[in-house]
Structures are given as C-alpha cells and as structure tokens.
Amino acid sequence: MQHDVVAIVPELMLVAAALVLLLIDPFLPAKGRRGLSWLGIMACLPAAASVWLARSQQFSTFSHGIALDGFAVFFKILLLAVAALAMLLSEKHLARNGRLLGDYYALVLLATVGMMVMASAIDLATFFVGLELMALSSYLLAGFFRHQLRSIEASLKYFLTGSFASAILLFGMALLYGLTGSTNYQQISIAIGSGSLDGHVIVIAVVLLLGGFAFKVAAAPFHGWAPDVYQGAPTPAAAFLSVGPKIAAFAAIIKFFTIMLGSEQARWVPLMIVVAIATMLIGATMALLQHDLKRMLAFSSIAHVGYLLLALIAAGQSHSNFGSSAILFYLAAYAAMNMGAFGVLVFLANSARFNDSLDEMAGLARRFPGAAGVMAVLMFSLAGIPPTAGFLAKFYLFASVVDAGYAWLAVIGVLFSVVSAFYYLRVIVYMYMREPEPEVAAVMEPGGGRSWDLSLGLGLATAVVIVLGVLPAPVLNAAQDAVAKILGS
Amino acid sequence: MYSFQQQVGFPILSVMTFLPTLGALAMLLLMRGRPHLYKYTALATTGATFILSLAMVWKFDQYTADFQFIEKVNWIQRLGASYHMGVDGISVLLILLTTLLSLIIIPASWNYIKDRELGFFASFLFLETGMLGTFCARDLLLFYVFWEIMLIPMYFIIGVWGGPRRVYAALKFFLFTMAGSVLMLVAIVGIAYLARPNQYAAPVFDLDQLQHAVFSFPVQMAAFLAFFIAFAIKVPMWPLHTWLPDAHVEAPTAGSVILAGVLLKMGGYGIIRFCIPLFPDAVVTAMPYILILSIIAIIYGALVSLVQKDLKKLVAYSSVSHMGFVTGGIFAFSVIGLEGALLVMFSHGLLTGALFLMVGFMYERLHTREISAMGGLASPFPVMAAFLLFFTLGSLGLPGLSGFVGEFLSLLGLFTYNKAMAVVAAAGIIMAAAYLLWMYLRVMFVETRDEKWFRLSDLNLREIASLAPLAGLAVWVGVYPDTFINIIQPSASHLINHISPYLAQHGDFLTRFFASLGGGR
C-alpha cells in the first residue's frame, strides 16, 4: 500500500468545488445561479475519473487513517454518481421554491465528501469525522426550504435523532478502543480475533454499534425518523438522503461487522437476524398503510434495508465474499431506482400542483405518459420484477443468503417482497387503471414544466435500472472484485 | 448437438422470441400518436413470428429427443447463468400454439379496443416475447426472468382494459402468481448452489448440467414443493385456482384467450420440464397425492361449471376441469399419459381459446354474458351458432375433434396406473357434456328473447377468419393426431425412461397408500 496524498484527491476536488460554490454564489444575480448545479455536477466527473485512475493501486494517507482501495473505489464512484444525479434532479425544484442557492450544491458535495471518507476510512477517528461531515450537511439539506414548516421539522428531527445515533456509535467505538488500545480497523480486528478480550464488553460494543448504525440506515427499531424526514425535506434532497447516507453507512457496516467483528459473528448474527426481520416487517407492512408517496417510499426503503441486512448476515456467516458483494450490487441498483422514483415526484411537483399523495397520481398515464412510464419501470424494479435491476439485485442478495445456509431467512425475505409488491403495484394501479378525479388530480400549471436536466437524470436512472437488469455482469464483477480488495486483503 | 448454425443458419429462437419486442418498441418509439399504424404493426409482427415458428417446426428433427436450434452464450458468467435457448418436442407444439394465438387475437380485438390502443397492442407483443422465451429457455435463471416478465403485460391487460372489477382481478392474478414464483426462486437458487462441483465454483443454472445433478431426498422434496406450487398456481390446480375465474371474467377477450390458451400451459410445461427431470424421487413420492388433486379438479371444475350464470365464468371453470386431465396425464408417468397431457394442453389452447373468442364476439353484439339473458341466438346468428356448436362439441370430447384425443390418451395413461381413478376422471367428461350442452341449449335454442337481435349482424369475415384456423387445427388433431404425437413422442419417451427407474424403486405407491387409508388390512 502506497502512502500518498493521492488517496484523498477526489475528496479535495469536491471540497474545492464546494468552496467555490459558496464563494461565488453571493456575487451572482438570481438568473446567473441557473448553471450552478452544473458546476457541482462537473466537479464529480474529475473526482470520479481520479478514483477510476487509482483503481489498480492502493493508496493510504493520514497515517493509515484513510485508504483508497478497490472497495473504496466502488463506493466512491457510486457515491459520486448519486451526488451528480441528486444535483441533476434539484435545480428546477429549488428555483420554483425560491431557494436556488449555491449553498445547496455545496452541501450536497460536502455530504458526499463525508460519505466518501466513511467508505474509505480504515480508522475509527477518520470514520467518525466523515460521519459527522455527512450528518451535519444532511441536517441542513433536510431543512433547506426554511420557509416551510415541514422542512424545518424534518431537519430538527433528523438532527436530534442523528445526534443520538452518532453519540451511541461513538460510545461503541470508544469501548472498542478501550478494549483493544487501537483505533485502526486491522489492529482492532487482530486484537478481537485473539480471543483474549472480555466477551461481555464486546457484546456491549456490538449492541451500541448496531444501534448507532440502525439509526443511520433507518433499521428497526430506530427507523422512526425516516418517514418524517423524507416527507418534510425538499424532494430532491430526500432523494439524496434516502440513498447516499445508506450507501456510506453500509460501506462502514461491512468493514465493521465482517472485518473488525468478523471473528465475533456468533455474537452479532443472532441480533442482526432479529433486526433484519423486524425491519422488513415494519417497512413492508407500514408502507401498505401510507397514502403519501414520500412516506411510502420511506417505509419501502426501510424494507430494502431489511433485505440488505439479510445479506450482511450472509456476509458474516459464510467465508466467501458473496454476501458483501451482494450488498454492493444491491446498493447500486437501489440508488438508481429509489432516486429515480423520488425524481418522478420532483418532476410532478415541478409540473403541477402536487402534494405527493397517491390520489393525485390517478390517471397520471393520460396526462404525463412519460413520467408514468418511468415510474412504472421503477416501481416494478423496486418490487423486484425482471427484467430490472431490482430483480437481479434481489436475486443475487437472496442467493447469498441461501448460500450461507439461511434458506429460511430467504423465504421470509421473498414473502415480504410479495407483500411489498402490493404497494408498488398500487402506484401503477392509480397511474394506469384509475381515472383522474378533477378536484385532487395533479393539474398541469402554467409556468411549470420540464427542465431538461431533470429529464436527463430520470432517463439515466431508468436506463441504469434496465441495463443492470439485463446485463448486470460488469457491475456484478466490479462488486465482487471490490469486496475481494477490502482493507487491502 | 443440434445447434442453430447447422439447422437454420441464424438464431431462429432468439429472433422469434424478440421479434415481438422489436415490434412493440417500434410502436412505442416511432409511431406514438399514429393510431392507424398500431394494429397493422401488431398484425405484421405477430404474423412474422408465426411464420418463423412454422419454419422452426418445418426444420425440427422429430426423430430425436435432443434439444434443437441450440443457442448458448455467457450471460452472467460469475453467477453461472447463460443465455441458453433450445427446444424439444415438448416445447415445439406449445410455441406453435403461442404464435398462432398471438396472431389470432390481433384481428379479434380489431374494433373492440378503443382506448389506449398503443399500450394494448404493445402489451401483447411484450407478452409474446415472455411466453416464447419461457418455452425456449434452457437456463433456470433465464427461464425465471421470462416467466416473471409475462406477469407485467398481463397485469396491464387485465387491469387497464378489463371489466368493472379489473383492478381487483389484476392484483389478485399478480400477487398469486408472484407468491408462487418467489418461492420457486429460492428453490432455484438452492439447487443451483447445491449442484456446484465445489464450493468455489459458480452456481449451476444450466439445465443440461442440472439434469445430471443428484439431490438428497429432503432437498428434492423442498425444491419440488416450491416449484410445484408455482406451477400449480399457473395450471391452476384445485385448490389454488381461485384467481382464475376473476382474471378471466375481468380480462378483455384477447387477454382471456392468451390466459387460457398459453399462460395456463406454463404450469403443465413447467412440471414436465423441471419437476420431473430435476426431482424424480420427490415427483414419484408426490404422485398419488397429485393424482387425487387432479381428479378433484376435474370433478370440481365440472360441477362448478354446471352452475355458472356467466358464460365466461363457465368457460373459465371448465378450464380448471380440463387442466385436471393435464396434471393427471403427466403424473400417471406413462408415455401415453404424457402425450395425452400435452395434447390436452394443445387442444385446450385451440378450443377454449376459440370459446373465449366466441364469448367476446357475443358480448360485442349483446353486451351481456349472462346465460339467462340469452336464448334463441341460433335464429339471428346462424353462423355463430354453427361455430359455437363446433367448439362446444370439441371441448366436451367428441371423437374426431382434438379434445377427444388428448383426454382419451390421458385417461388411458391413468387407467394403466389405477382403474378407479380413471373411472372417476372419465365421469368428468360426462359432466363436461352436461354443462356444455346445457349451456348451448340455453344460449342458442329456446325462443329468441329479443327481436332487436335480428337487426344485428352475424359473424363477419374478420371474425370467421380468426376462428377458422382454430377449427381447422382442431379437426387435424382430432382426425390425424399422429402429426403432432410424432413430434412429442421422442421427448416424451425420453422423459418417461428417465423417471421409470424411480417408479420401479418406489413400487406401487398408490396401492400402499390406499391400503394405509383402509386401515391395516
């Protein structure tokens, strides 16, 4: 592993872009802010390119605090794509709500930097810095529409629960440090693997870490904040927040649980099984009851986290990298389909009087056939029907669970996916099989309308969903290779 | 090995499978807003697909049980999944049925669909791709993908263009089928990983390799149940049939035709193609139970048909009864029984497809499907009456028409296995005569209820043209079934050869089974 500052070049690029955005924003006239999103998006491209160029080597810096290895490469490219997509979805929506500011893009970029640091941290301290950078930026993004009560409420709820989660995580990490005398993942792993440590303290540390991460990824029983935050946050920000932090948190979870606590899997796997089943149960059943689409998507994303935790159990149980690579592939598919679904809501909010309720979707196929078609593809993908990314991701994930010897968990998982098909199909029922009711249906408004970057973003997300569903091999191979290179092993 | 290069020179199965998708995409992308083009594009695409399938049958070598027109390329290499297509005698007839029915329903819904025609015809084209792919796939993952793809267009066809309770029926259809198939997915994964030569190898989804894998009995039983439930829902077998009447009644005519004609065949096909070769021990163990379920289905379907007030529901329940002969014929495990089951599937596709078409034509004229509201239709609509009589007689098993041949062979297979079962099943045919002839009597004869009907037109040329090929084929199968049996024969006997050692091993399970029921005699 080479020691070189190259390891954080992509992060530095994003930070520089964020600072430029913050600096030039006050000097621009309102009209001049139109192109700011492209400054942010364009910053992601060289960052991704530099990550890509570094893929065959391994770099570390900050005295082994952060590493750019194959594992981090996969996550960083995914996170940069998510950030770019989030910015593509945003501009028109911000402008319509009178909040078209460079700050927004700067916050997205800074949150992304935090996520990227989380994905490539190999030291508890560095990881926590990344986590906090991501978290603080996310709280601000959730409250970005400061004139809307719901947005402020979302921000405050996110901040309070998130701070608790961070504190709990920190406590768990402190226990690990106290036990092992190191903050380095590898050394902690070696110390725990030696088997000479106090098992009770390890259990407490595991519970605290699990609790903290459960908050961050919205897993039961710490999922309660997610629906409120996604509902209240500006829709494009919700798209970003429903995907980005989860990707980063799962990168860290894989390292924490399969590497650091890999030898302790007998202690955490049973707990994780309970959490995973509870998460799927709550996500799938609560989503059935929702009438607000953003809340429905929030509970659906909770259910998806449940599936991801199943793969984590597989990753902990079996000695192959199968489970971990399933998580990576699933995250890529989930990012495209979930952000796409939020993107359609953004499109509708831009084009019409639209309050995210299911009733307003009635007859959508007649008024917005393109948006309805995209939404239908994304809903089928979220439900896991071929030929979409959602199907292959689920297939690969459940395959890893079966392979690890948990066929019964896979059966529970697929049965919940049938339950969840019901609420995804309901969206399609409203769009295609109901006639609009004039009082509630989303009506085209003058002044509303298309913005081509939003259409581009939706088109990209849909294309990714279909391509990953038909020809998944390149991404699948990348996910497997990335996991094989985790922590330089 | 029969590769497509030797046989036809181009990947005929893939071209045939994806031609409808191309047509649908052309419609969606190029012809949006030009409604006059939709029907003709759909007709041309399905026509070309039908001609391709005829060419395939023409080139098909009927003296071998090997798979033919094989195409194989890597798909997801590290998962061991390949794009592997091939057909044998079992799939060829069903493919022909699929392309024929897909072609026929286009003119049959020519004037019926007035709303969102683009989506309607595109859905049917996507559906055709799914159906053909399912019959051609030789890789379990590929099969599953095609199997699930069929759900989406059918869901829209029922849900968008269906009757008043269409949303309920569409959801029920989707969730029933999906619940069955996700369990099958877990089983697919399970056996694919168990069949690996070592734990570092990629899983095995390829059917050629899976057929040589040997699974332990508990694994076979669990996987068999998962597969079987998925297929039994599609067949549909009693007691998993409840989605069928809802779906049929609400679906538009063309949807009903495809649903009855092809989608129900997927169940029987899946059992023949996957359950028997992959889980022989489990299949033989389950045999008596499934035979009993089949016979219940035959009798139950017939009895329920007897009391239906809605013409379409009557035909739907009669399908449950007919499909009992399919599962019964398959699980008798004799060459004759299997051939009979396949012929029942083929002939049911023709005759029930035609009956649904006729119900649709009647509905377009009378705007009702209530049997009690009809009566005396033979005087205003003599041509319609003639066609309905023909298909009714075919369906009740009149010798000389296709229904008789299949059911006779299926019963023969059952008879060689267990006489009592064959006798009870044969009662189903008598009941079929009862409910079908009674229906015909009430619909066509007695006095004409409404004088206005005399001002309505009889079947026109377009409608006759869509019924005539079905009638012709029904006569062909009925009079000279050898044409079709010869195609099935090698594959069927190959399959029975495969299963017979297991049968011998288990002995006459049924005798023991009944003995145990009778209490230690």
Side-chain angles (χ1 to χ4, degrees), chain A residues 322 366 380 383 385-386 391 395-396 399 403 414 418 421-422 425 428-429 432-433 470 472 476-477 480-481, chain B residues 75-76 78-79 115-116 141 144-145 148 152 155-156 159 166-167 171 174-175 178 182 185 189 193 196 205:
Chain A
F322 196 178
R366 287 192 195 280
F380 280 123
I385 311 289
F391 164 70
F395 163 76
Y396 190 52
D403 186 46
V414 294
V418 177
F422 182 80
L425 290 180
I428 297 174
V429 166
Y432 283 89
M433 304 171 193
V470 178
L476 211 65
N477 295 351
Q480 291 189 345
D481 296 339
Chain B
W75 178 30
I76 315 173
R78 292 201 199 173
L79 279 184
D115 179 34
R116 293 189 257 185
L141 188 58
Y144 188 83
V145 167
E148 288 274 279
I152 301 176
Y155 169 69
F156 279 111
R166 60 184 191 273
V167 172
L171 268 180
F174 198 104
L175 293 178
M178 188 178 172
V182 290
L185 182 66
V189 171
Y193 277 91
R196 291 180 297 181
F205 288 103

Side-chain angles (χ1 to χ4, degrees), chain A residues 84-104:
Chain A
L85 186 55
M87 289 187 274
L88 273 178
L89 300 179
S90 300
E91 188 188 68
K92 177 97 187 170
H93 196 68
L94 298 179
R96 261 174 78 89
N97 286 279
R99 293 287 288 159
L100 184 57
L101 294 169
D103 315 26
Y104 178 87

Side-chain angles (χ1 to χ4, degrees), chain A residues 109-122:
Chain A
L109 289 177
L110 289 175
T112 311
V113 171
M115 294 169 196
M116 287 164 70
V117 170
M118 283 166 77
S120 60
I122 50 173

